[in-house]
Amino acid sequence: MRSDANIAGPMTDPVPGPRTESTGADVSRETPPPMDDTPIGRAAQLAVEALGRAGEGLPRPEQTRVIVVANQKGGVGKTTTTVNLAASLALHGARVLVIDLDPQGNASTALGIDHHAEVPSIYDVLVESRPLAEVVQPVPDVEGLFCAPATIDLAGAEIELVSLVARESRLQRAIQAYEQPLDYILIDCPPSLGLLTVNALVAGQEVLIPIQCEYYALEGLGQLLRNVDLVRGHLNPALHVSTILLTMYDGRTRLASQVADEVRTHFGEEVLRTSIPRSVRISEAPSYGQTVLTYDPGSSGALSYLEAAREIALRGVGVSYDASQAHIGAQKNDPTMVEGVQ
Ligand SMILES: Nc1ncnc2c1ncn2[C@@H]1O[C@H](COP(=O)(O)OP(=O)(O)OP(=O)(O)O)[C@@H](O)[C@H]1O
Ligand SMILES: [Mg+2]
């Protein structure tokens, strides 16, 4: 399954910024999107403040955490997770860079970043050795959030990299040479285990695997885990699977809870307590060049990504996460809860 969220329609609008388009009241089951006269970044900030964490912030990691979001299965929520977690961490006060490593450029689109063929992109960094700083763009509306976009050129990189020196570690080198202070780098991988994903695995310390709560969820994961082991053994001893995130959780179905149980049995501690519900708002946001955090800050999708970000930040500094303190706890952790159906 491929992402179909940004094929056509309003997404082709290259101009980021406050969006005022109608979102179709017929599909809305939640709070309305930001009002026309409300800057969306401010609205998202208000949502964070409404969570009661204003000023409290989240602990920042001592060193930049480089998190690789990978799963070679398509359409499991890698990009959605990358952009929404990144925006959540930034709204919690962190400085975050998203590296779009997928030729589809979905993360760039979702962040409202121009990524037509002429835009300096991660391809130039990987293949032409251009400094990362020259391709990074600030994300509109979310302070502290940046993106290194992917253009269609990246589709050829998988082949072009083969003959280059240090082909597996070109992204790692680019990141090491990047001098801007960052708390997090999130790398959105393509749905394959080729050289692009290997570059991400060599560059990162942590792997975050989004798992869609559907049948066959665990199928194919063995191959990814073997690749992680191989990269750890040969190229990057620090690499480990730190986080599993259950996505598109639909509490109405027994299948979702069975998959969640199976994943928790299999992976244990790595699985975040917070899971991401299937949410209309989450799937609509990219077509407006936005994350759900700015598109509909009060939605269950936005709140669950904020909460997942909090959990990841706390784990990173060794603080155990208390689910009972979650602001959407009673709803979110109730396996019967699904957006609009409680
Ligand atoms: N929690 C959610 N609720 C509803 N729809 C979702 C949710 N998460 C993701 N989606 C939708 O599912 C589709 C696939 O998501 P996404 O693009 O994030 O997956 P991906 O793993 O990055 O895909 P690919 O392998 O093609 O890169 C998209 O249309 C997205 O909008
Ligand atoms: Mg993707």
Side-chain angles (χ1 to χ4, degrees):
M1 190 193 349
R2 311 293 294 179
S3 165
D4 56 359
N6 55 357
I7 291 168
M11 262 180 245
T12 50
D13 176 2
V15 184
R19 310 287 167 136
T20 57
E21 292 93 331
S22 156
T23 56
D26 51 331
V27 292
S28 170
R29 286 184 275 158
E30 294 189 81
T31 52
M35 302 294 288
D36 288 6
D37 58 350
T38 309
I40 53 182
R42 179 70 193 140
Q45 198 59 52
L46 284 172
V48 177
E49 285 166 17
L51 289 176
R53 303 193 187 284
E56 182 188 328
L58 279 176
R60 293 176 116 160
E62 272 178 24
Q63 289 179 335
T64 310
R65 286 174 69 184
V66 183
I67 304 178
V68 181
V69 181
N71 186 336
Q72 83 271 31
K73 194 188 279 272
V76 297
K78 293 181 288 295
T79 302
T80 306
T81 294
T82 304
V83 299
N84 289 303
L85 271 184
S88 298
L89 289 164
L91 286 167
H92 279 306
R95 280 175 63 87
V96 187
L97 171 64
V98 168
I99 296 182
D100 189 349
L101 211 57
D102 185 346
Q104 298 179 100
N106 294 156
S108 312
T109 304
L111 293 172
I113 297 289
D114 189 7
H115 62 110
H116 66 264
E118 277 76 47
V119 171
S121 72
I122 201 69
Y123 170 88
D124 302 300
V125 173
L126 289 173
V127 177
E128 312 285 354
S129 302
R130 194 164 174 168
L132 185 56
E134 291 183 14
V135 312
V136 167
Q137 298 186 40
V139 171
D141 305 313
V142 183
E143 207 187 318
L145 182 57
F146 303 86
C147 176
T151 63
I152 191 65
D153 290 342
L154 197 58
E158 202 85 66
I159 308 274
E160 289 174 65
L161 279 169
V162 172
S163 57
L164 296 182
V165 182
R167 59 188 178 185
E168 296 98 353
S169 49
R170 297 179 76 85
L171 184 63
Q172 181 193 45
R173 290 178 182 195
I175 289 175
Q176 283 169 354
Y178 187 72
E179 286 179 344
Q180 299 297 320
L182 287 169
D183 297 307
Y184 298 89
I185 297 177
L186 270 65
I187 307 176
D188 184 28
C189 291
S192 65
L193 293 173
L195 266 178
L196 289 171
T197 299
V198 169
N199 261 273
L201 294 175
V202 172
Q205 304 107 29
E206 301 182 40
V207 183
L208 185 159
I209 308 178
I211 295 185
Q212 184 181 359
C213 295
E214 293 289 349
Y215 200 55
Y216 297 135
L218 292 175
E219 206 157 88
L221 272 189
Q223 189 61 42
L224 172 61
L225 297 177
R226 275 192 293 281
N227 277 31
V228 171
D229 285 345
L230 274 174
V231 171
R232 182 177 43 240
H234 295 281
L235 297 162
N236 180 9
L239 187 70
H240 62 288
V241 176
S242 65
T243 313
I244 308 283
L245 178 62
L246 295 165
T247 64
M248 298 182 238
Y249 187 89
D250 182 345
R252 290 169 299 187
T253 67
R254 189 179 297 174
L255 177 63
S257 55
Q258 280 171 351
V259 171
D261 287 347
E262 199 182 333
V263 171
R264 287 186 195 282
T265 306
H266 195 85
F267 287 100
E269 281 303 299
E270 281 79 32
V271 186
L272 291 188
R273 300 284 296 271
T274 309
S275 46
I276 307 301
R278 191 173 273 287
S279 148
V280 173
R281 290 302 193 207
I282 288 177
S283 59
E284 286 173 344
S287 59
Y288 296 91
Q290 288 184 36
T291 68
V292 74
L293 280 305
T294 52
Y295 177 65
D296 191 350
S299 64
S300 65
L303 296 178
S304 55
Y305 271 115
L306 280 168
E307 201 57 33
R310 196 166 78 87
E311 213 180 326
I312 288 171
L314 290 175
R315 283 177 171 211
V317 292
V319 175
S320 64
Y321 171 79
D322 180 356
S324 67
Q325 296 296 307
H327 281 262
I328 44 173
Q331 286 189 331
K332 177 175 52 61
N333 293 314
D334 173 357
T336 61
M337 177 262 168
V338 128
E339 188 177 81
V341 182
Q342 290 173 31

